[in-house]
Amino acid sequence: MSDREKTHNTLHKALEVNLDNCKYGTIVEIGAGQEVARNFFRAGGAAGTIAKTMSAYDMQVSDDIYGAEETRRYVTRNRLEKMLDKEYAAVTDLLSPTRPKNTTFFSYAATVTAKSYLQKNECHGWIGIRVQLYPGAAPSNIILHVRMLDNDGSAQQEALGVLGVNLIHAAFHYFTQPKKIIESLVDDLEDCRIEIDMIDFSGPYFEETENRLMNLHLVHHNLTHAIMFSPDGEVQVPSELLYKKNILVIRGNFTPLTKVQLDMTKCGQQHFNEMGNINSEKTIVLAEITMASLTVGNEINDADFLARVDMLNTQGYTVMISNYLRYFRLRAYFRRYSQLQIGMILGISNLELIFTEEYYKGLEGGILEAFSKLFQNNTHLYIYPFKNPDQDELVTAHNFQAPKKLQYLYKYVLDNNYLVGLENVDESVLDINPSEVLANIKKGRGNWENQVPESIAEMIINKKLLGFVDK
């Protein structure tokens, strides 16, 4: 086994932790066996590392230990945090007086629902570690939400066992490099076995860690397809945010968000609610940015990313970052969590892209396959008009000219209301070109300030965002 293989091997990692007499703690796992603890025992020397292992499967037993859950839901972050609170306090209160002074304590916990023989359930879980990173220190936390993608329960258990060892090992060895912690979580796991769609670092050693950037790294490192931030900037679990919701999304670069994009959202939401007689309280409006628009080569400008999220949050948007370039894949992602209405707001330039056959190169069924997956039940594209400076008439969904050989296909999706032309638009904002706004921002103050929301103009000027220089 090469040195690199050793550093990625599960049992080698477990043994490395076991042989360090300073690390001592508990492992509690509910929902998929005791695979993490088993790996430490298999590696050898676990008596020097593990004070206790436990699986409180029975609800009454679990409630007696950790307290009852009012919602009767046990695979939640709240439940995980109760487990970490209880176990960490127990091990440190009991053993701190008698263990060597150089001991660093930890508690690992997991509450998951793996594949069941009895039902087709969402296979997911909450996993975390509370850990001292030097003797006597206040603890720090790393918490994950994961989806298990294997098709049988035993394989899911095995994957969780590997993930848990990786998390414990990484917390102790890479705590000064949070991105390396993330990258090491899937060591010794084949692709497409585990998806990590949320991570949260907290505590003394992670006070300077920007969790939004860490979650962006999940997408950048292909550990998940999408991440989400609430309007207050908090990282969200997509499955919880989107569950049984009507979903309306506008895709863009948002460098910055302009008044024309605000009008697109307003008109789109109005038509979306009217068409489906939708309860707005059960609707989530997303501003989606693709990873392709955030990267230059393989690098991400962190400041630019945070600026875009901050600006969208000020206008009440929930922000989504995804690696989906094609719209039908974005729709399939939403369908994981909701069977209600899906709406996508597009400009004419995006409509042109959707009706470009080259866009579907590599897809076996080409544009027809893509459309069959995109235009299914309860899915509509809302088309915002375009003002061509060389023409008097607006370009709309009704006079848009698709390529000649696709015109009958276009007529079909239009006649069947898969494409919906937006009306009652604010024509005073149609002259706004987001690319020109960005170019003008880099020249200093100017008319661009009238083309974006006032609060966003103030943010750009005061924080010198998006290349703004006050000349």
Side-chain angles (χ1 to χ4, degrees):
M1 185 183 294
S2 68
D3 289 343
R4 185 181 185 280
E5 287 173 328
K6 285 182 180 179
T7 60
H8 286 70
N9 180 267
T10 302
L11 294 184
H12 184 272
K13 286 185 176 185
L15 180 61
E16 188 176 353
V17 174
N18 284 345
L19 294 179
D20 186 337
N21 293 328
C22 297
K23 298 174 176 57
Y24 204 62
T26 59
I27 298 176
V28 292
E29 304 168 77
I30 301 175
Q34 289 185 283
E35 296 300 305
V36 178
R38 189 169 74 90
N39 280 327
F40 279 98
F41 286 122
R42 284 179 61 206
T49 299
I50 298 177
K52 179 182 76 173
T53 69
M54 184 174 65
S55 287
Y57 273 77
D58 185 271
M59 289 184 184
Q60 286 182 282
V61 172
S62 184
D63 285 350
D64 182 65
I65 298 170
Y66 303 117
E69 296 292 332
E70 291 183 7
T71 62
R72 307 305 292 170
R73 294 174 62 224
Y74 289 82
V75 184
T76 65
R77 179 169 181 166
N78 184 63
R79 191 57 168 189
L80 177 75
E81 290 177 341
K82 285 183 178 180
M83 294 167 69
L84 291 173
D85 288 345
K86 179 77 174 183
E87 298 301 333
Y88 185 81
V91 73
T92 53
D93 290 349
L94 179 64
L95 298 179
S96 290
T98 57
R99 288 284 302 176
K101 297 301 181 185
N102 61 352
T103 299
T104 50
F105 291 100
F106 74 91
S107 286
Y108 170 90
T111 174
V112 305
T113 176
K115 193 170 183 65
S116 169
Y117 289 107
L118 302 177
Q119 57 187 344
K120 293 182 178 180
N121 53 308
E122 168 75 2
C123 302
H124 73 109
W126 287 92
I127 293 170
I129 185 170
R130 180 163 297 175
V131 57
Q132 276 184 325
L133 294 173
Y134 62 90
S140 296
N141 297 329
I142 307 172
I143 290 175
L144 326 172
H145 183 264
V146 304
R147 296 179 68 241
M148 294 89 80
L149 307 179
D150 287 307
N151 289 323
D152 67 88
S154 61
Q156 291 180 0
Q157 291 177 25
E158 178 192 37
L160 288 167
V162 174
L163 177 65
V165 172
N166 287 338
L167 176 58
I168 294 171
H169 181 272
F172 280 114
H173 289 84
Y174 307 137
F175 58 85
T176 61
Q177 303 168 274
K179 286 185 178 180
K180 190 168 183 178
I181 291 177
I182 290 170
E183 293 165 12
S184 72
L185 290 173
V186 290
D187 284 353
D188 216 15
L189 283 171
E190 299 88 350
D191 292 342
C192 301
R193 295 193 65 189
I194 289 285
E195 178 182 351
I196 304 169
D197 57 12
M198 196 286 297
I199 191 164
D200 182 81
F201 295 87
S202 62
Y205 257 89
F206 301 122
E207 287 177 341
E208 302 302 318
T209 300
E210 172 53 78
N211 276 309
R212 292 177 297 176
L213 292 177
M214 295 304 104
N215 281 268
L216 181 65
H217 197 63
L218 292 174
V219 183
H220 195 210
H221 200 62
N222 296 316
L223 297 186
T224 190
H225 291 290
I227 54 170
M228 296 185 183
F229 308 106
S230 65
D232 60 5
E234 294 297 317
V235 180
Q236 301 293 304
V237 177
S239 58
E240 295 181 356
L241 197 65
L242 301 177
Y243 183 64
K244 291 188 177 180
K245 293 285 183 63
N246 300 294
I247 301 167
L248 182 64
V249 59
I250 178 171
R251 169 175 283 184
N253 292 336
F254 305 111
T255 51
L257 175 73
T258 65
K259 288 182 177 179
V260 69
Q261 290 162 325
L262 282 180
D263 193 53
M264 290 174 71
T265 306
K266 177 183 176 183
C267 294
Q269 193 166 7
Q270 179 181 344
H271 282 70
F272 185 65
N273 291 342
E274 288 176 354
M275 277 194 65
N277 193 24
I278 288 171
N279 181 351
S280 60
E281 293 182 1
K282 292 185 178 180
T283 298
I284 185 166
V285 180
L286 302 172
E288 187 230 2
I289 305 172
T290 65
M291 282 297 296
S293 74
L294 289 170
T295 53
V296 178
N298 195 40
E299 298 298 318
I300 295 175
N301 183 325
D302 290 347
D304 171 73
F305 160 71
L306 293 174
R308 294 197 226 181
V309 174
D310 286 341
M311 287 186 285
L312 288 164
N313 284 161
T314 65
Q315 303 304 306
Y317 285 94
T318 298
V319 180
M320 175 180 184
I321 312 296
S322 86
N323 59 12
Y324 294 114
L325 294 177
R326 291 167 171 164
Y327 284 91
F328 72 87
R329 297 199 190 281
L330 181 62
R331 179 198 179 276
Y333 176 81
F334 291 145
R335 276 289 175 252
R336 286 184 189 176
Y337 309 115
S338 177
Q339 299 304 311
L340 301 183
Q341 295 285 341
I342 294 174
M344 302 181 185
I345 304 169
L346 280 65
I348 294 296
S349 61
N350 295 109
L351 185 60
E352 290 173 344
L353 182 63
I354 285 176
F355 277 86
T356 301
E357 288 188 279
E358 280 295 307
Y359 184 52
Y360 306 103
K361 187 176 181 179
L363 193 65
E364 185 176 1
I367 192 171
L368 293 180
E369 179 182 345
F371 276 31
S372 70
K373 293 178 177 178
L374 175 60
F375 295 115
Q376 296 184 35
N377 291 342
N378 298 334
T379 302
H380 304 275
L381 304 188
Y382 296 89
I383 310 303
Y384 191 81
F386 170 68
K387 185 176 183 181
N388 189 328
D390 299 324
Q391 300 176 355
D392 292 332
E393 187 179 23
L394 295 179
V395 181
T396 69
H398 295 284
N399 62 17
F400 171 77
Q401 292 297 307
K404 186 174 181 180
K405 60 181 178 179
L406 297 177
Q407 287 180 358
Y408 286 107
L409 178 60
Y410 185 82
K411 186 175 188 304
Y412 172 80
V413 294
L414 185 66
D415 289 349
N416 284 276
N417 282 327
Y418 294 125
L419 295 181
V420 180
L422 293 178
E423 300 173 350
N424 300 322
V425 303
D426 181 356
E427 295 195 22
S428 70
V429 302
L430 292 180
D431 287 323
I432 297 174
N433 183 321
S435 297
E436 291 179 2
V437 171
L438 178 60
N440 289 329
I441 286 172
K442 296 176 180 178
K443 298 176 183 177
R445 301 195 65 156
N447 186 53
W448 65 265
E449 296 172 51
N450 299 317
Q451 298 175 329
V452 304
E454 183 178 351
S455 60
I456 287 181
E458 291 176 357
M459 285 181 67
I460 292 170
I461 294 167
N462 294 336
K463 297 183 178 181
K464 294 182 170 51
L465 304 177
L466 304 178
F468 175 82
V469 177
D470 197 358
K471 299 179 180 179

